[in-house]
Amino acid sequence: MGWLRSEVPRGLRWGVCSLVAAFSLVAVAGQNADARRRKASGSNYSPAYAAIVVDANSGTVLHASNPDALRHPASLTKIMTLYMLFERLEAGKLKLDTPLKVSAHAEDQAPTKLELEDGETILVEEAIKGMVTRSANDAAVVVAEALAESEEEFARLMTRKANSLGMTKTVYRNASGLPNDSQVTTARDQAILGRAIQERFPTYYKYFQTKSFVFRGHTIGNHNRLLGRVEGVDGIKTGFTNASGFNLVTSLRRDKRHVVAVVLGGSSAGSRDSRMRELLSQYVPSAATKRTAPMIAEAATPKNEGPKIDAIKSEMAKNEPAAVRAAEAKPDREGQRFDLASASSAPVHLDLPPASAAPHRAAPGSSDPIQPVAVKTFNVKGNNTAASAAAAPFAGLPRPNEPARTEPARTEPARAEPTRTEPTRTAAAAPASDALPPPPPGARPGVLGTLPASVAMATPPADPAPAASQAAKPRPRSGWIIQVGAYPDEDEAKRRLGTVKIKALRLLSDAEPFTEPTVKDGTTYYRARFAGLNKDQAEAVCSYLKRNDVECVAMKN
C-alpha cells in the first residue's frame, strides 16, 4: 500500500481530495435546502390564519375568522393585475393578440415564470394564461409595464383601484405578489376583489377556468388543485410566500348557489385545500338560490394614499405575529396565481333595493370612477303629473369599528335637469303636503340605466289589474331606439340595461333606458331598450356592443 501511495503523484492526490470536498459541500447544501423546505411546511410552520366565506347571491357572510386582519397576499396579487388588464381589454385599448414587450426587469423576476427574455414579445392572451396557470411573475411584470410607466407606478394604480372597490386595507407594491413587507391585504378585501372581477368581466373571467395551455411548444398545467376536482368550482387563485403561508381564493357555483371563499395562511398546500373543501361543504347548502345582493361598484378615492399606508404599517407592526414578520420571504413555489372571483360582505355598493340595483362602473377606456347619472321617470296615471328621480349616490357598507366613507364632491359641472311642469292645483284640492302619495307595492327607485320611463304610479290602484294595463302602455318615443334583449322578468331587463349602459356609457350617456312589455305565446316579455338616438348613433352603439359580445338591434321607433 505504501508503494501505491508513493507512486500516485502529489498533484493528483490533492485534486481527488478537492473533488471529494466539493461533493461534500454540495450534499450539505442540498440537505440544508431540504431542511428549509421541510420547515416551511412542517409541524413548526404556523403562519397567521384568516378566512371568510360569502354568499355571493345575498352578500351574507356565512363564516369569518380574522377577516380584517392584515396578511400578505402573495400570488393573490395577480387578481388585481388581471383586473387592470381586463379593464384595458374591455375599453378596446388592448386586444388579446396585442404583443407586449419584455424588459430586462421582467426577465429578472424570480420563479415561477415563463422564462421570458429581454427584448422579445408575448401576446396579451399568452400573458393572461401564463398568470392563470403557472402564475408567471415575469408575465405579470410585462403587463404592469405595458399599462403604466413602471411596475412601481402600476402598483400605485392597483392600490388606488383597490380603494375604489372598497378594499380599504389593501396596499400593493408590485404586480406579481413576490415578497414585499409593505404589500398587505385581508381576507375580506380579497373576497371583494374576487367578486368584482367576476361581475365586471364575465367574458374574461372564463380564463380562470383554464386547466392548461400550450406555450412555445410546452404544455403548462394549472396548479389549482380544486378546479375540476370539486363540483362547481369555476376558478381559483393560490399563492405562497414564507411570510404569507398558503393562500387560496375560490368561487363555487352549484344548484343556483354561488359561494366565494378565501383562506389565508395555510401551513401547507394540502392543509389549505382541505380547509377550503371543509368550508365549501359546510356552507354551500345554506347559501341563497336567488340573487339579491347589489353588484360591487367603484367609488371615487383620493390619490394620496400616504396616510393610509402609514396607518396600515402601524397596525401591521402591532398585530402581526412576530413569526410572520421575521419569516424569510421566498418566491411563490406553486405555479399558481390564477384567480377566481370572490364575494365580500362589505363591498362598495349602491344603497338601493337589490332587485333593481345596477352597478356603477367606470366607462370603457376611463380610469375615473363612474359617477351617478340621473334617470327620468314619468307618471302616466291620473293628471299626468311628471316626477323626476335621481340616481342614488354611492354608499359603502360600514365595517366593524370603521366610519362610513363619504363621496367626494364632483368637480365636473352638473348637467341641468329639465324643468318640471305641474298642473295648477286649487286650494280646495291641494293636500296638506305637496308630496306625492307613496308608490305602489313593488315599485323601486331609479338606478343608472335601469328605470323605465313608464312605470311610476302616482296613486296605488285598488286593483292591480288596471295598473298592469296602464304600465303596459309605453310613452311614445321618437327617433331611433336600440334593443339589447327581452326577458320574462322586468327586474332582469332593468339590470341588463344597467350593464349595457356601463359597457357603452359614452355612447349612451344621453340615451333614455326603458323597458317595454310585450306578450308572446301567452308570456309577457320585457324588452330592454334605449331611446333618444338618431340613426347614426343607434348604428354606432350596436356596432360597438356587438364587438363586445352584446346582442343589439337598431330600429326606427
Side-chain angles (χ1 to χ4, degrees):
M1 294 296 293
W3 177 80
L4 287 174
R5 284 195 299 271
S6 64
E7 292 298 316
V8 178
R10 172 179 289 186
L12 182 58
R13 290 200 303 270
W14 279 106
V16 171
C17 291
S18 299
L19 186 60
V20 171
F23 279 120
S24 299
L25 288 174
V26 170
V28 171
Q31 292 172 357
N32 289 340
D34 290 340
R36 287 194 298 270
R37 283 192 290 270
R38 286 194 298 272
K39 182 178 180 181
S41 59
S43 59
N44 294 329
Y45 180 59
S46 182
Y49 172 79
I52 191 169
V53 180
V54 178
D55 181 350
N57 279 337
S58 67
T60 303
V61 176
L62 304 176
H63 166 80
S65 176
N66 304 316
D68 299 309
L70 292 179
R71 301 288 185 262
H72 296 296
S75 298
L76 304 186
T77 300
K78 289 192 179 75
I79 302 175
M80 180 59 81
T81 300
L82 287 165
Y83 187 101
M84 304 285 281
L85 177 58
F86 292 166
E87 272 193 332
R88 297 299 180 91
L89 286 169
E90 185 183 59
K93 295 185 178 181
L94 288 175
K95 296 182 179 180
L96 292 173
D97 60 355
T98 300
L100 305 177
K101 188 174 181 180
V102 180
S103 68
H105 176 55
E107 179 184 358
D108 290 342
Q109 296 303 298
T112 56
K113 57 184 184 176
L114 297 176
E115 302 298 338
L116 304 176
E117 297 182 356
D118 181 19
E120 65 182 0
T121 60
I122 180 175
L123 301 181
V124 167
E125 187 171 31
E126 292 175 329
I128 293 172
K129 292 181 177 179
M131 286 187 280
V132 163
T133 58
R134 181 169 284 182
S135 187
N137 296 321
D138 49 1
V141 173
V142 168
V143 169
E145 293 178 332
L147 302 187
E149 296 180 356
S150 64
E151 184 182 13
E152 182 180 1
E153 174 61 24
F154 184 71
R156 284 194 286 269
L157 296 176
M158 292 168 71
T159 301
R160 194 175 304 160
K161 181 66 67 176
N163 291 344
S164 73
L165 289 170
M167 301 166 62
T168 59
K169 291 191 173 184
T170 295
V171 175
Y172 291 108
R173 292 304 194 189
N174 58 49
S176 64
L178 286 172
N180 187 303
D181 290 342
S182 299
Q183 186 153 271
V184 293
T185 190
T186 67
R188 191 189 303 275
D189 281 3
Q190 288 304 306
I192 292 175
L193 177 58
R195 179 179 166 191
I197 200 170
Q198 292 185 65
E199 293 179 347
R200 178 160 181 189
F201 310 108
T203 299
Y204 297 118
Y205 172 72
K206 294 177 183 177
Y207 279 110
F208 293 141
Q209 300 174 13
T210 304
K211 295 181 180 178
S212 67
F213 86 111
V214 178
F215 180 70
R216 299 178 181 177
H218 299 279
T219 300
I220 298 176
N222 199 317
H223 293 252
N224 133 39
R225 301 180 185 183
L226 300 188
L227 189 64
R229 299 181 184 179
V230 175
E231 180 188 358
V233 169
D234 61 5
I236 197 170
K237 174 67 195 94
T238 60
F240 170 83
T241 65
N242 206 42
S244 72
F246 293 83
N247 297 341
L248 175 59
V249 178
T250 257
S251 172
L252 182 148
R253 299 172 191 266
R254 184 191 299 166
D255 300 330
K256 296 184 180 181
R257 294 176 172 86
H258 183 196
V259 168
V260 175
V262 180
V263 171
L264 305 178
S267 59
S268 69
S271 65
R272 172 203 62 197
D273 293 346
S274 177
R275 178 57 177 159
M276 180 62 76
R277 288 173 184 265
E278 292 174 358
L279 291 174
L280 295 175
S281 177
Q282 181 175 356
Y283 293 106
V284 165
S286 60
T289 58
K290 184 177 180 180
R291 176 65 183 259
T292 58
M295 298 176 73
I296 295 175
E298 294 180 19
T301 55
K303 294 186 177 182
N304 181 17
E305 273 93 33
K308 171 197 166 181
I309 293 174
D310 292 340
I312 288 177
K313 285 182 177 180
S314 176
E315 180 180 345
M316 187 175 176
K318 292 178 185 176
N319 301 327
E320 190 169 25
V324 175
R325 296 197 305 271
E328 178 185 354
K330 294 183 180 179
D332 185 341
R333 66 166 80 156
E334 299 182 55
Q336 15 193 77
R337 272 218 208 231
F338 152 52
D339 291 357
L340 173 61
S342 336
S344 130
S345 63
V348 177
H349 73 288
L350 301 177
D351 193 14
L352 293 168
S356 65
H360 292 278
R361 298 180 186 150
S366 171
S367 60
D368 297 327
I370 186 66
Q371 299 291 345
V373 176
V375 180
K376 295 181 292 183
T377 63
F378 296 89
N379 176 22
V380 297
K381 172 102 174 142
N383 60 3
N384 293 327
T385 302
S388 174
F394 292 109
L397 290 179
R399 301 176 185 232
N401 303 320
E402 179 180 285
R405 292 184 296 276
T406 57
E407 173 76 3
R410 294 176 58 179
T411 56
E412 62 181 28
R415 278 188 259 177
E417 291 294 328
T419 303
R420 194 171 74 174
T421 304
E422 298 187 3
T424 304
R425 299 175 182 172
T426 63
S433 172
D434 289 336
L436 292 175
R444 305 180 189 280
V447 188
L448 171 62
T450 65
L451 188 63
S454 58
V455 297
M457 304 297 295
T459 306
D463 184 357
S469 64
Q470 292 188 27
K473 298 178 181 179
R475 180 176 61 83
R477 294 172 175 83
S478 60
W480 282 68
I481 63 174
I482 64 169
Q483 180 169 315
V484 293
Y487 305 89
D489 180 70
E490 186 175 13
D491 286 339
E492 182 66 21
K494 294 177 183 180
R495 286 193 289 269
R496 183 59 171 172
L497 288 169
T499 300
V500 171
K501 186 151 190 176
I502 287 166
K503 281 183 175 290
L505 186 58
R506 292 180 178 176
L507 296 174
L508 293 171
S509 60
D510 296 324
E512 177 191 357
F514 68 99
T515 61
E516 182 176 273
T518 184
V519 178
K520 182 178 180 182
D521 298 330
T523 302
T524 300
Y525 293 89
Y526 295 88
R527 296 165 173 163
R529 293 181 165 186
F530 289 92
L533 305 169
N534 59 37
K535 180 180 180 181
D536 291 341
Q537 290 171 332
E539 291 178 347
V541 173
C542 275
S543 177
Y544 174 82
L545 291 175
K546 288 176 181 178
R547 291 198 303 270
N548 287 273
D549 300 323
V550 176
E551 294 183 2
C552 180
V553 178
M555 64 193 80
K556 188 173 182 180
N557 196 21

